[in-house]
Amino acid sequence: LPHPSVAVIGFVHVRGAVPPVAEVQARWAARVFSGQAKLPDQQTMLVRVRKHRDERLRTLGKHMRNKLPKVGIPYRDDIAREIGAMPSFWSLLLNDPLLACRVFSQPPLPTHYRLIGPHTWDGAAEYTKMAVSNTFYGLRH
């Protein structure tokens, strides 16, 4: 096809929850479809696919067809970098040390990718700071 017209969202085997990965995938696809981001040229994409396939073959062996590779935080972070939504530890540390510690020491949350870049959310920082305590609040009673 001459232009991007299909995206497969959430079809990954992740270590952890699928929705946070699907969200950054959907944001990336929306940016590509709207013309705000560009995909690499076809040759670059084919080289990446071959490299990824060869790495899977080396890691998983000849029966790799039966196994989806597990992806995790690095995959999500790569997409966040592509769309300009990856938070910088040093920038957060200078502006809000508590937030920096929470973002880089607690489980990854979709709100981490709403702190900067496109489609930021004003409540993302507060939600991130309170997420762990809110999770365990119900266990105190």
Side-chain angles (χ1 to χ4, degrees):
L1 296 173
H3 54 82
S5 58
V6 174
V8 180
I9 306 296
F11 190 68
V12 290
H13 188 190
V14 298
R15 292 182 182 105
V18 173
V21 175
E23 183 193 3
V24 292
Q25 286 178 328
R27 288 173 66 192
W28 188 23
R31 291 182 62 75
V32 169
F33 293 157
S34 69
Q36 296 173 345
K38 291 190 177 220
L39 292 174
D41 63 275
Q42 186 175 6
Q43 186 61 31
T44 302
M45 289 191 287
L46 288 173
V47 167
R48 285 184 185 177
V49 167
R50 287 185 189 114
K51 180 181 173 187
H52 180 69
R53 185 188 60 215
D54 292 345
E55 182 179 313
R56 284 184 56 215
L57 182 60
R58 191 180 79 255
T59 305
L60 301 173
K62 65 181 180 178
H63 301 291
M64 70 176 189
R65 279 189 214 139
N66 301 332
K67 304 172 188 171
L68 280 174
K70 289 184 180 178
V71 298
I73 298 168
Y75 173 72
R76 191 174 11 180
D77 287 352
D78 287 346
I79 295 174
R81 277 186 204 87
E82 288 278 339
I83 63 173
M86 182 64 192
S88 161
F89 175 76
W90 298 110
S91 177
L92 288 177
L93 187 64
L94 291 173
N95 294 317
D96 191 339
L98 176 61
L99 181 60
C101 290
R102 294 288 168 90
V103 167
F104 290 94
S105 67
Q106 71 185 20
L109 302 169
T111 54
H112 295 171
Y113 306 105
R114 295 287 182 169
L115 295 167
I116 65 163
H119 305 106
T120 57
W121 174 43
D122 292 337
E126 191 60 33
Y127 183 89
T128 298
K129 289 177 191 175
M130 299 301 298
V132 171
S133 62
N134 287 345
T135 301
F136 292 108
Y137 179 77
L139 301 175
R140 289 186 242 170
H141 300 283

